[in-house]
Amino acid sequence: PEPAPAQPEPARQAPAAQAPAPAQAQAPAAPAGGGEGAYVTPLVRKLAAENGVDLSTVKGTGVGGRIRKQDVVAAAEAARAQAAQAPAAAPAGRGPAKAEPSPLRGRTVPMTRIRKVIAENMMKALHNQAQLSSVVEVDVTRIMRLRARAKEDFLAREGVKLSPMPFFVKAAAEALKAHPSINAKINDDGTVTYHDVENIGIAVDSEKGLMVPVIKGAGDLSLAGIAKKTAELAGRVRTGKLSPDDMSGGTFTISNTGSRGALFDTIIVNYPQVAELGIGATVRRPVVVDHPELGETIAIRDMVYLTLSYDHQLVDGADAARYLTDVKARLEAGEFEGELGL
């Protein structure tokens, strides 16, 4: 499935409003916008603008009905109190979309052939593996900014869109080379085969069911190579032209569960592989960061959860943690400028 779209850059915080200057003893007066006979000083007019107060609705308590600073402050406080008490009204035409009932409700239908294959493989995985999951949180702000800077030139140069997915595939494939137990297979005779190639399957949600086309030799491909191969395989899924060879030979799988909004998922490993990586939704939220000048501070960052499900028969928790830590470090460093021509 298509990865979660990159989020927009965090907006810069607006500077705090300056405190109003002290009133002058002989400040010139000006008529209020709509009051009859009411006058306001430049100071009061500025204070009203800063607080969103319509002077034509304010009754002045000063001499001759003049609107004073205290009148503006009182009007602003009254407006805030009224807004807090009033229930929030939903914008016209922006209510939540209502889910349409499925035509399958109340029916009994046979499983499709593909659904049966998926079901058998899922049960085989659970019955033959001791599966558990580990999760890390990754700051992908640099990746999202790199993508935003490079996507237009990348499309013109490579002929495919640059989604966040190739960055995750690249980082995952590189880390597999240093962690052989994650990219392995337990054989029926009790031996273990450590693969010397990174053939990464990409789980895709299609109308026919879950498909896992394989990017062969992903560990030796550039970002552009991974992006092109991903687009090619996704196109074959959409058109129903995947061949058996396209889905064979996988040694490790990545599932983009975040493309539909899930924060993270406890994935079932794609048997007979021993591990699978899940990518959650990228969410912009405040986090504590260590700034070189400001020290620990709070900033808006692009955050994502990565889940590694693995077979505990071969992979220990420490192995999974070390692998995830390396993937996290690669993504947070965001050092892909060379491949992107930046």
Side-chain angles (χ1 to χ4, degrees):
E2 283 295 316
Q7 304 291 331
E9 293 300 320
R12 296 185 179 274
Q13 184 175 356
Q18 295 180 354
Q24 299 296 321
Q26 299 295 328
E36 293 190 21
Y39 290 85
V40 291
T41 65
L43 169 62
V44 171
R45 187 179 296 279
K46 179 180 179 182
L47 184 62
E50 291 173 347
N51 287 273
V53 173
D54 182 358
L55 289 174
S56 66
T57 64
V58 179
K59 183 177 180 181
T61 60
V63 177
R66 177 175 293 182
I67 299 174
R68 303 186 302 162
K69 181 173 67 175
Q70 294 91 326
D71 300 327
V72 174
V73 171
E77 290 178 351
R80 283 194 289 268
Q82 184 178 5
Q85 292 176 0
R94 293 289 298 277
K98 200 170 183 179
E100 293 295 330
S102 168
L104 291 177
R105 293 181 75 238
R107 295 179 59 190
T108 299
V109 298
M111 268 189 170
T112 63
R113 182 181 63 82
I114 291 179
R115 195 72 248 174
K116 286 182 179 179
V117 171
I118 294 171
E120 291 171 0
N121 200 51
M122 294 295 101
M123 295 306 296
K124 188 183 296 183
L126 288 177
H127 288 161
N128 289 279
Q129 294 182 333
Q131 293 194 17
L132 70 159
S133 303
S134 294
V135 182
V136 295
E137 187 178 32
V138 184
D139 184 339
V140 292
T141 306
R142 291 182 180 177
I143 295 295
M144 294 305 175
R145 290 177 179 174
L146 276 177
R147 174 180 174 268
R149 288 168 54 197
K151 61 182 182 180
E152 292 184 5
D153 289 342
F154 187 91
L155 176 60
R157 183 174 65 248
E158 306 295 344
V160 295
K161 292 182 179 180
L162 178 63
S163 74
M165 192 65 172
F167 295 97
F168 290 101
V169 175
K170 180 76 171 175
E174 289 177 353
L176 288 177
K177 296 184 177 185
H179 300 275
S181 64
I182 309 297
N183 192 40
K185 175 186 175 183
I186 300 176
N187 302 309
D188 293 337
D189 60 3
T191 61
V192 177
T193 298
Y194 297 98
H195 301 296
D196 61 354
V197 65
E198 296 75 38
N199 293 339
I200 296 185
I202 305 296
V204 178
D205 178 26
S206 73
E207 292 182 358
K208 294 184 178 180
L210 186 66
M211 302 288 185
V212 188
V214 178
I215 302 175
K216 306 288 177 63
D220 298 321
L221 293 178
S222 64
L223 274 177
I226 292 171
K228 289 178 180 179
K229 194 63 180 177
T230 301
E232 177 187 337
L233 292 172
R236 292 181 189 176
V237 170
R238 287 193 298 269
T239 58
K241 294 182 179 180
L242 274 181
S243 68
D245 183 63
D246 289 330
M247 294 188 288
S248 66
T251 64
F252 183 79
T253 297
I254 296 178
S255 181
N256 186 10
T257 59
S259 64
R260 296 296 181 265
L263 289 179
F264 61 87
D265 201 355
T266 52
I267 312 158
I268 297 177
V269 177
N270 188 16
Y271 186 84
Q273 298 167 19
V274 297
E276 181 166 341
L277 183 69
I279 305 171
T282 300
V283 178
R284 290 179 65 76
R285 57 183 177 80
V287 297
V288 176
V289 296
D290 191 4
H291 192 276
E293 296 180 359
L294 303 176
E296 288 191 345
T297 186
I298 296 175
I300 304 298
R301 309 291 289 179
D302 292 294
M303 305 299 295
V304 64
Y305 290 110
L306 297 184
T307 303
L308 185 74
S309 290
Y310 51 95
D311 185 355
H312 208 350
Q313 294 179 103
L314 178 63
V315 183
D316 290 333
D319 298 324
R322 282 189 285 264
Y323 174 78
L324 285 171
T325 298
D326 280 359
V327 175
K328 171 185 170 78
R330 181 70 168 102
L331 291 170
E332 290 189 339
E335 296 174 349
F336 296 96
E337 290 91 345
E339 292 196 48
L340 296 173
L342 297 175

